[in-house]
Amino acid sequence: MIWRSVVGKLWLTIILLVAFVLSILTILLLQFFEDFHVEKEAEQMERLANKVASVIERYDDREQALDTAWEITDFYPTRVMIVENDSQGESRYSPNAHGLPELSLDVFKKDPILKGVFTDRETVVKKGDFVTDEAAASHNELLIVGVPMELDGEDNGEVFLYQSLDVIAKTTSQARNLIYIAAGIAIVLTTIFAFFLSTRITAPLLKMREAATEVAKGKFDTKVPMVTHDEIGELSVAFNRMGRQLNNYVTALNQEKEQLSSILSSMADGVITFDKTGAILSTNPPAERFLKAWYYEQGMEEKPGNEVPEDINELFSLVVTLEREQLTEVELQGRSWVVVMTPLYNQSAIRGAVAVFRDMTEERRLDKLRKDFIANVSHELRTPIAMLQGYSEAIVDDIASSDEEKKEVAQIIYDESLRMGRLVNELLDLARMEAGHNELHYSNIHLQDFGQRILRKFSGLARDRQVELNFHVSNDERMLKIDPDRIEQVLTNLIDNAVRHTPGGGEVRLLITSLDKGVQFDVKDTGSGIPEDDLPFVFERFYKADKARTRGRSGTGLGLAIARNIVESHHGHISVHSKSGEGTTFSFYIPDKVKE
């Protein structure tokens, strides 16, 4: 792993560089020392050869001169060959051979450099491999120096000194060992220096790496200490400045995001953002309510590619294709939604679309109520008034002749007047509730007994219609503070409607669920259900989903409207879920702590 770090790379680079430089320097120094030693030896041998030549030239006694020459050269690891008359090939060798062979005169005369002593009468120096024994093919590395000399005033003599290069090699070897030791010491010192330098350089870098990791995790306030005043110190300052800028930018982006999220969450209209493939990117609470309604419409099953109604997908395709705003209206779970979708651009290209959902149910409901209120009131009053008018005419015209017939007509007139009075009283009660003048009388009730008492009221009706009644309470000991008469009125209305709209063999269930902060009541049936178009209006006055199935002639269509007002006066809420052919569920919630 060290080779992947900056320390390892820097250390390896310095070592390789120093090793390369030392290698080149070693080669050059070895070559220099070798040449230097050869040159110095050659100079010394040349001086010695000149001295020998001068000795022989000065002495008349040739033997004495040779003895003197041998004494001079005996202290040097060289062998001397004196040529007195090269034409006759007379040569003499020093008695002390120093382990050197006798070279024949032909070796000197045939050599292109050494023969210059004979021909040009000049001093020559040569280093090379010379054959000392042709029969044995023996070779020696020798350094030979030759100088001319004059004997009896004539240029007819030569002095040759030669020695083995092994002596020079030993000297060079010692120099080489010294160079190797110096190079080894240099590499060791360089390694220590490289690690020290790498640590000094990489320590701030490691801190920067740790700080960068922390910044990547979102900790933008992480700072790098500036330990030096060089480029790395300036890098630390730049890194800290970058962290502050990133912190400022991220804070600004978060603030803008939170502001945009708050705006979207506070909007009364739903907003859904789609990408270019039609997938949902973001929503706000009203849009989520729309999607939940669509989820319920699909039977509580998520289907890939069907997250929104098909009308919305078609609208998205039109927006992307035509690149302009499109509008449609979607009916879902009895609510009417107006959808306005516009393209979403990324500079010049479309990257999706934004859909705004406006719930127009209330507006449609108000329009419908305005249209239907007078008709409903007229419809509810027309029948009793017509019957009162008709039977009154029968009495006036004396059509009812017998007392029994008159009593029967009078009873009908009385019943219709009671019906009209009941209608007017319910309208007044409803108006009083809506005006906030509904007086409630609270008391603590036991939910188990309360539910059973209400169901007993419908046991006969359920038995006649062959409908099964079931009751379940989640907590047998649960108490609740409510107005029992008013809540009984609500449950009576809901259970009566459920029994009367459930065919034989069906089931009606009353569920009382104890929650942390209140109690929820659910009345479920397996009846025919409520048409989707009528769901938004079930709690409105004079609502009758099926005019042929109202509660006899006395039904006014005000029961659910009164039930909603009673629940809301207890600071609760009521809702309905229904699907045609599958049944209906009315649910209302009453909190524990209510204001009396």
Side-chain angles (χ1 to χ4, degrees), residues 402-420:
S402 64
D403 292 339
E404 291 182 0
E405 291 178 350
K406 290 180 180 180
K407 287 181 179 181
E408 183 180 356
V409 170
Q411 184 65 41
I412 293 174
I413 292 174
Y414 177 72
D415 291 339
E416 293 301 323
S417 64
L418 290 177
R419 181 182 175 190
M420 290 181 62

Side-chain angles (χ1 to χ4, degrees), residues 41-54:
E41 287 294 331
E43 291 178 358
Q44 185 177 0
M45 291 172 65
E46 183 179 349
R47 288 196 297 271
L48 184 59
N50 288 325
K51 185 178 292 187
V52 170
S54 64

Side-chain angles (χ1 to χ4, degrees), residues 139-274:
H139 294 262
N140 279 309
E141 290 285 338
L142 301 175
L143 175 62
I144 301 176
V145 175
V147 296
M149 69 176 178
E150 296 179 1
L151 295 176
D152 302 327
E154 296 179 1
D155 295 334
N156 57 356
E158 294 85 16
V159 177
F160 290 96
L161 273 73
Y162 57 93
Q163 71 175 22
S164 176
L165 290 176
D166 292 339
V167 178
I168 300 175
K170 291 180 180 178
T171 306
T172 305
S173 177
Q174 293 177 356
R176 182 185 298 109
N177 292 333
L178 291 175
I179 293 173
Y180 287 157
I181 293 173
I185 295 174
I187 290 178
V188 172
L189 294 177
T190 302
T191 301
I192 297 174
F193 168 75
F195 271 106
F196 174 75
L197 179 63
S198 302
T199 304
R200 293 282 296 176
I201 294 176
T202 57
L205 296 179
L206 292 176
K207 293 181 180 179
M208 288 185 193
R209 184 187 67 180
E210 295 175 358
T213 303
E214 295 296 322
V215 170
K217 295 178 180 179
K219 299 178 181 179
F220 299 105
D221 55 347
T222 304
K223 294 187 180 299
V224 178
M226 188 180 71
V227 295
T228 60
H229 297 278
D230 52 8
E231 290 83 355
I232 296 179
E234 294 176 358
L235 181 60
S236 301
V237 174
F239 183 89
N240 294 333
R241 187 182 300 114
M242 179 193 68
R244 290 194 298 270
Q245 292 294 334
L246 281 176
N247 192 20
N248 294 334
Y249 292 150
V250 172
T251 302
L253 288 175
N254 288 334
Q255 290 176 351
E256 292 182 2
K257 183 179 179 180
E258 291 176 359
Q259 183 178 5
L260 179 60
S261 178
S262 300
I263 292 173
L264 288 176
S265 300
S266 303
M267 289 180 61
D269 296 334
V271 177
I272 298 180
T273 305
F274 300 90

Side-chain angles (χ1 to χ4, degrees), residues 518-532:
V519 176
Q520 179 169 319
F521 297 81
D522 295 303
V523 177
K524 298 184 177 182
D525 64 63
T526 58
S528 58
I530 300 173
E532 183 179 338

Side-chain angles (χ1 to χ4, degrees), residues 347-362:
Q347 294 181 352
S348 60
I350 291 181
R351 64 181 182 92
V354 177
V356 178
F357 294 75
R358 173 162 293 183
D359 189 355
M360 300 296 292
T361 306
E362 187 65 21

Side-chain angles (χ1 to χ4, degrees), residues 432-452:
R432 191 182 299 111
M433 292 179 184
E434 291 177 349
H437 301 300
N438 186 22
E439 185 177 355
L440 301 177
H441 302 281
Y442 288 95
S443 63
N444 281 319
I445 64 164
H446 188 265
L447 293 177
Q448 177 76 21
D449 299 336
F450 181 70
Q452 290 178 350

